[in-house]
Amino acid sequence: MANKEMVRVEKLNKAFGELHVLKNVDLRVEESNVVVLIGASGSGKSTLLRCLNFLEFKDDGRIFIEGEQVEKETHNLNEIRQRVGMVFQHFNLFPHKTVLENVIEAPIIVKRTPKNNAIEEGKALLNKVGLGDKYDAYPSTLSGGQKQRVAIARSLAMKPEVMLFDEPTSALDPELVGEVLTTMKELADEGMTMVVVTHEMGFAREVGDWVMYMHDGKIVEYGRPQELFDHPKEQRTKEFLGSIL
Amino acid sequence: MSHILDVFIESLPLFMEGLKITLYLSTASLLIALIIGLFFAILKISTIKPLEWIADAYIWIIRGTPLIVQIFVLYYGITEIVLINAFWAGAIGLAVHSGAYIAEIIRGSIQSIEKGQMEAGRSLGMTKVQTMRKIILPQAFRRAVPSLGNQFIIGIKDSSLVSFIGAQELFGVSSSLGSNSFDFLTFYSVAAVYYLFIVLVLSVIVNRIEKRLARSD
């Protein structure tokens, strides 16, 4: 089957002042694929992800979303961001809103979904991520794992075509990582297109269709998880995997 | 002591009029000050340099001059152009004054909201303005409540200065009664009791609001 291209990046460059964070990065993500970005802190993985959602702006290069080249000058980025959901390391839930309000806020404001429909869909999403009993709880009363699952539901409420995960489990206590990864795996199994920055190599191997190892703003190696983890070609990849496994 | 009590009861009708004016004056000026404060807070965080400069200049002038000077300048300035009574001249003067402090309070609390909140809103497709209105400002106001309450208390006490352009609010009433009877100490003490009472009630209200808003924490 010919897979639809969801995200493509060509020769992406990004610098913060003197610091050249992304160097000629290329990436292609097909529909229903899960691409996992791995690499040490500061290797540019998160910046790449944030460029895909236009939370950071590239210096040069090209970004295509569903085949269409997107530039901040010519496109309504708010519309693009509706199609490209993002889950953050620190959840960034809205603390003054209940769990359900967190989920229905954007559909109501941005998509003008009637409130009743938004509530219905929001509850369904929360049930799906296993938080059917927490509609009226405030985020501060939830565990980290629960917060991240709310954040995933909140992002899904906009019915995105692609989901970006920026180290979704890095801020969690070890015993809470599993529940979030399980939710993400279910999402992948349903065919969601996902780009995931993570240090969870088990997840990368099991759920990832492709794994990309980044170092110093460059893509060092890209391949199927089995190849990349079991038979890395590049010396740097070997060193990195050796240091973390 | 029984003398003060007698005076207190005797002067009650006059002081009630003064109290009413103090409350109207404070409420009107604080509501206007909130709008002014929010406006200049948004100018300050706009990242558009000329707008920031306007806000900076306003805050600099207000913080750098005494309130009584501001009230007089405004009163004589405004009455040059339109006929306006002491009440509204005073209310506007107080509002322009408190507005500068409130602008700084609101700016500070907006900037204290984690950057991730704006990013979360934007990542869901919300515009900057929508995120500001629905996500950032509600949280910022919540954080600003204690400082705003404090500023309101200062505003109520500052309203006494409007008596100098002729408003018969609490302080004006006690001055008149004092000069009629030469018993300044007694009437100013009575005025002090009224102010203490207003501030006490306001403190309780602010406390309640703080507690209610803390529900989600």
Side-chain angles (χ1 to χ4, degrees):
Chain A
M1 57 179 190
N3 273 337
K4 186 180 164 197
E5 171 192 289
M6 300 302 283
V7 175
R8 181 154 51 100
V9 166
E10 286 177 359
K11 301 248 173 298
L12 199 69
N13 279 281
K14 170 76 185 171
F16 294 110
E18 295 283 286
L19 195 66
H20 202 165
V21 197
L22 294 177
K23 298 168 185 164
N24 287 325
V25 171
D26 294 308
L27 169 71
R28 190 167 179 279
V29 184
E30 289 181 351
E31 188 170 26
S32 296
N33 273 0
V34 176
V35 175
V36 181
L37 307 184
I38 61 171
S41 310
S43 57
K45 327 179 284 293
S46 289
T47 306
L48 173 56
L49 211 61
R50 292 165 61 83
C51 284
L52 296 181
N53 199 5
F54 302 91
L55 288 175
E56 302 285 355
F57 295 121
K58 65 182 169 65
D59 293 335
D60 59 53
R62 300 199 288 176
I63 298 173
F64 298 81
I65 304 292
E66 294 181 80
E68 183 187 5
Q69 189 184 343
V70 178
E71 294 289 343
K72 70 169 189 275
E73 291 80 7
T74 53
H75 282 75
N76 177 358
L77 297 181
N78 299 317
E79 190 272 323
I80 303 290
R81 290 195 191 99
Q82 292 173 41
R83 291 191 269 148
V84 183
M86 178 99 165
V87 172
F88 300 89
Q89 180 178 356
H90 295 289
F91 331 125
N92 298 348
L93 293 179
F94 307 136
H96 60 305
K97 295 186 175 296
T98 64
V99 164
L100 185 59
E101 286 167 352
N102 262 274
V103 176
I104 64 176
E105 184 76 11
I108 291 174
I109 296 185
V110 179
K111 289 196 162 169
R112 310 228 169 271
T113 307
K115 194 167 181 192
N116 285 339
N117 298 9
I119 289 174
E120 205 173 301
E121 290 170 14
K123 284 182 173 174
L125 284 169
L126 286 168
N127 295 344
K128 189 172 129 175
V129 299
L131 292 169
D133 55 340
K134 295 288 185 189
Y135 300 153
D136 299 321
Y138 280 97
S140 59
T141 64
L142 302 181
S143 73
Q146 291 171 328
K147 283 181 191 169
Q148 196 59 296
R149 286 185 282 147
V150 175
I152 292 171
R154 177 176 71 175
S155 195
L156 289 174
M158 291 302 288
K159 304 191 176 77
E161 306 287 334
V162 180
M163 287 275 283
L164 310 174
F165 293 82
D166 189 6
E167 302 201 25
T169 59
S170 297
L172 298 179
D173 291 336
E175 75 271 19
L176 302 175
V177 169
E179 61 190 72
V180 172
L181 293 182
T182 304
T183 302
M184 289 167 62
K185 185 174 183 304
E186 285 166 8
L187 211 52
D189 291 343
E190 287 168 21
M192 176 61 78
T193 310
M194 295 162 57
V195 183
V196 184
V197 170
T198 187
H199 296 291
E200 296 294 330
M201 296 305 146
F203 176 85
R205 187 189 279 268
E206 188 191 349
V207 183
D209 294 297
W210 299 93
V211 179
M212 188 164 109
Y213 169 61
M214 283 183 77
H215 178 78
D216 201 18
K218 281 183 275 205
I219 294 170
V220 175
E221 192 162 345
Y222 181 84
R224 294 290 185 184
Q226 297 79 1
E227 300 163 33
L228 194 136
F229 284 117
D230 298 335
H231 309 288
K233 292 187 193 70
E234 301 290 329
Q235 187 56 32
R236 280 207 183 282
T237 317
K238 286 177 193 160
E239 285 167 17
F240 174 73
L241 292 174
S243 71
I244 57 155
L245 290 179
Chain B
M1 195 63 208
S2 74
H3 166 64
I4 290 190
L5 205 64
D6 289 341
V7 171
F8 186 88
I9 292 164
E10 261 171 52
S11 61
L12 198 67
L14 276 172
F15 267 108
M16 277 299 154
E17 282 305 304
L19 177 68
K20 220 165 77 185
I21 295 176
T22 291
L23 290 178
Y24 283 143
L25 198 55
S26 310
T27 311
S29 65
L30 291 173
L31 288 179
I32 303 169
L34 267 179
I35 295 165
I36 295 177
L38 181 60
F39 176 74
F40 281 99
I42 287 170
L43 290 197
K44 273 213 81 161
I45 58 164
S46 65
T47 66
I48 301 168
K49 281 287 166 211
L51 298 183
E52 282 179 56
W53 293 334
I54 292 171
D56 284 338
Y58 162 65
I59 292 167
W60 177 68
I61 290 168
I62 296 300
R63 288 211 291 206
T65 55
L67 173 55
I68 188 74
V69 174
Q70 293 161 17
I71 290 173
F72 274 102
V73 167
L74 241 152
Y75 181 54
Y76 290 109
I78 293 179
T79 46
E80 283 280 301
I81 308 162
V82 286
L83 208 57
I84 188 171
N85 61 22
F87 178 89
W88 282 108
I92 294 167
L94 287 171
V96 169
H97 178 80
S98 297
Y101 292 93
I102 289 175
E104 284 291 77
I105 291 169
I106 294 176
R107 178 193 60 82
S109 49
I110 289 175
Q111 288 178 337
S112 79
I113 304 298
E114 298 70 25
K115 208 170 131 253
Q117 292 290 306
M118 179 55 86
E119 289 189 346
R122 300 309 302 279
S123 80
L124 292 165
M126 292 163 71
T127 64
K128 206 170 174 179
V129 173
Q130 285 171 335
T131 313
M132 199 39 117
R133 225 182 57 220
K134 294 287 185 176
I135 307 301
I136 308 293
L137 283 181
Q139 294 183 63
F141 266 114
R142 213 161 280 221
R143 276 188 205 179
V145 164
S147 310
L148 285 178
N150 205 31
Q151 189 58 42
F152 287 1
I153 287 172
I154 294 172
I156 286 167
K157 293 187 293 183
D158 281 351
S159 70
S160 58
L161 291 175
V162 181
S163 65
F164 288 104
I165 55 172
Q168 281 297 305
E169 43 63 76
L170 279 177
F171 187 75
V173 168
S174 56
S175 295
S176 307
L177 290 173
S179 42
N180 289 344
S181 63
F182 296 105
D183 192 0
F184 286 104
L185 178 63
T186 305
F187 285 107
Y188 285 140
S189 304
V190 171
V193 171
Y194 281 97
Y195 283 112
L196 278 171
F197 176 74
I198 302 174
V199 170
L200 181 69
V201 171
L202 185 66
S203 306
V204 170
I205 293 173
V206 171
N207 257 323
R208 286 237 173 128
I209 294 175
E210 268 181 68
K211 286 224 175 75
R212 264 198 65 176
L213 292 179
R215 267 182 324 175
S216 60
D217 294 338

